[in-house]
Amino acid sequence: MNRKRKENTQPAAKCQLRNGQVHPFDALRGFVPLGTGEEQVYRQLREAIPVLDAAIEKLVRLSGGFSVECRSKAAQTRLDAFLANLPCGYGQIGIDNFLNCFMDSLLTYGRAVGEIVVSRDRVRGLCWGDVTALTVTEGDSPMEVVLWGPDGHGQIRPLPYQHLLLFTTLHPEPAHPYGVSLFRGMPFLAEILMKIYTAIGSNWERAGNIRYSVICKGDENLDPAVAQERGQQVANEWAKAMEDGKNGTVRDFVAMGDVEIKVIGGEAPILNSEIPVRQMLEQLVAKTGLPPFLLGLNWSTTERMSTQQADILTSELWALRRTVEPVLTKICRTFLAYEGLDDRVKICWNNISLHDFTQEAQAQLYLAQAEQARK
């Protein structure tokens, strides 16, 4: 007797905490655009304030460095060669370059996207993309997401190979399930800081490009025509002296009568910007989690990283590593699966050392001297 297979009639997984709420931009399908004006502001912050750009680069570099352990020796050899030589787009080679770009986008926008490039049943490389050009929706399950992209005709469509996409979010929240940027909360403070810098530039431009007020005080009984002629002569001579000064020629200004020369705005002092600028930078740097002197802000002549600061920064870096570790595991397992090898892998991160290298070298010297004395 032929028995028909029973179809799986179990309902799809449901989640009580995600009860069909949709984004206000699209009440029918629940599209959530990953690129808005806020992301453009974050990108402009990095361009306008070099300290923030340096902070992102240092966090990326301090977080990198890992190796992969495989269960099979053959898989270990093939995977090491693949990770060291894989192309990841735009002339970059190696998994480290891909990870740097991926983390850069993750910290800047709060989310990052990449793709595993497959051709003829082989993994050929990796590609990181602009996450702000994509749109996301929930999949068949509340635990899945579907990425949509432009189709070249002014519309969006779901990307065809969702299983090859790499999507990671940073610090997701109930109100922001698709990640929060490291720069959230900074635009207000950055606006104040840029106003201070703009005012400093305007004041120093005024101080370096001085404007003069020349006042000729003549006799009240002087004929108006004669007074006007003398005033015109003084103005011409002053203009010639200023023009020769621009060309590097020293020329004296000689005038007869009571002539008063003042600098326009010379009485207004240049405001001391050290305290307000430091207050704004302290708030911005505190959000990055980096000690100020690592970003070139030497507010203390004897400042150095304490043990507590090193421990806190290390915990922040490990949290960032845990965020991107699933992506690295998926890349390795996908490559080994296409190669027909054992895909069980383990990501082994390099130790984070933030201690004083001078003290470490001195300690090693003392240990070597003690060992030699015992002999």
Side-chain angles (χ1 to χ4, degrees):
M1 181 181 296
N2 295 330
R3 297 181 179 179
K4 297 182 179 179
R5 296 182 178 179
K6 296 182 179 180
E7 297 181 357
N8 187 5
T9 58
Q10 295 181 356
K14 294 183 179 180
C15 181
Q16 300 181 76
L17 298 180
R18 299 183 183 179
N19 51 2
Q21 294 181 356
V22 297
H23 198 274
F25 290 155
D26 193 324
L28 297 178
R29 294 187 175 182
F31 289 144
V32 178
L34 298 179
T36 59
E38 188 177 4
E39 278 67 28
Q40 297 180 6
V41 172
Y42 295 152
R43 185 166 54 248
Q44 292 173 359
L45 283 181
R46 294 187 59 175
E47 296 175 357
I49 305 178
V51 171
L52 298 180
D53 187 61
I56 295 295
E57 293 179 355
K58 281 183 170 55
L59 286 174
V60 170
R61 290 189 174 93
L62 290 173
S63 302
F66 70 96
S67 60
V68 183
E69 290 185 0
C70 301
R71 297 290 185 88
S72 171
K73 185 176 181 180
Q76 185 74 54
T77 303
R78 298 279 291 276
L79 183 60
D80 289 342
F82 169 74
L83 295 179
N85 301 308
L86 70 91
C88 50
Y90 303 104
Q92 295 180 328
I93 302 296
I95 189 64
D96 291 332
N97 290 323
F98 170 80
L99 183 61
N100 291 342
C101 298
F102 196 82
M103 282 188 174
D104 187 280
S105 175
L106 185 65
L107 294 172
T108 304
Y109 305 118
R111 58 192 72 95
V113 66
E115 182 180 3
I116 303 175
V117 181
V118 177
S119 176
R120 297 179 182 178
D121 296 332
R122 295 285 300 275
V123 177
R124 303 296 180 178
L126 300 175
C127 179
W128 51 271
D130 183 10
V131 71
T132 62
L134 301 178
T135 302
V136 66
T137 60
E138 287 188 2
D140 297 333
S141 169
M143 302 302 168
E144 299 177 356
V145 295
V146 178
L147 295 177
W148 296 58
D151 60 356
H153 301 285
Q155 298 180 354
I156 60 174
R157 60 178 178 84
L159 301 179
Y161 306 107
Q162 295 286 328
H163 64 286
L164 297 177
L165 296 179
L166 308 169
F167 182 66
T168 302
T169 59
L170 179 68
H171 302 155
E173 300 175 352
H176 304 279
Y178 301 114
V180 175
S181 171
L182 184 69
F183 294 151
R184 187 180 64 166
M186 290 189 182
F188 173 72
L189 297 175
E191 182 181 4
I192 298 177
L193 183 63
M194 295 310 300
K195 287 181 179 179
I196 296 175
Y197 284 151
T198 302
I200 293 174
S202 300
N203 288 335
W204 280 102
E205 183 180 2
R206 172 180 58 82
N209 191 6
I210 301 175
R211 296 293 186 269
Y212 297 94
S213 172
V214 181
I215 301 175
C216 300
K217 298 180 180 180
D219 188 1
E220 296 179 357
N221 299 324
L222 192 64
D223 184 43
V226 177
Q228 183 178 4
E229 182 180 358
R230 288 185 179 180
Q232 187 64 37
Q233 291 177 354
V234 171
N236 293 336
E237 292 298 322
W238 180 258
K240 292 179 181 179
M242 292 295 101
E243 189 66 25
D244 291 342
K246 293 180 181 179
N247 299 328
T249 303
V250 179
R251 179 171 177 173
D252 296 330
F253 171 72
V254 180
M256 295 180 60
D258 190 1
V259 179
E260 181 181 1
I261 301 176
K262 292 184 178 181
V263 176
I264 299 177
E267 297 82 3
I270 297 178
L271 299 177
N272 185 10
S273 60
E274 181 178 359
I275 295 178
V277 167
R278 177 172 174 175
Q279 290 178 346
M280 295 298 104
L281 289 178
E282 284 177 347
Q283 297 292 326
L284 298 177
V285 173
K287 188 66 182 296
T288 65
L290 293 172
F293 70 91
L294 287 182
L295 300 174
L297 303 175
N298 297 318
W299 290 326
S300 176
T301 56
T302 59
E303 188 174 8
R304 60 188 300 273
M305 182 178 294
S306 64
T307 305
Q308 291 78 11
Q309 287 178 322
D311 293 340
I312 293 174
L313 180 56
T314 301
S315 64
E316 293 288 339
L317 297 177
W318 274 108
L320 184 58
R321 286 179 168 185
R322 288 191 297 268
T323 302
V324 299
E325 185 171 336
V327 169
L328 300 177
T329 303
K330 182 178 180 179
I331 294 172
C332 298
R333 296 189 63 181
T334 302
F335 170 77
L336 295 176
Y338 273 95
E339 296 293 325
L341 300 172
D342 188 354
D343 63 349
R344 291 175 295 179
V345 297
K346 178 182 178 182
I347 306 298
C348 300
W349 294 95
N350 298 341
N351 292 329
I352 300 175
S353 178
L354 301 175
H355 298 289
D356 193 340
F357 290 101
T358 303
Q359 292 185 355
E360 289 184 359
Q362 189 175 9
Q364 293 178 2
L365 175 61
Y366 290 158
L367 291 176
Q369 290 176 350
E371 184 68 22
Q372 186 176 5
R374 284 196 297 266
K375 293 181 180 180

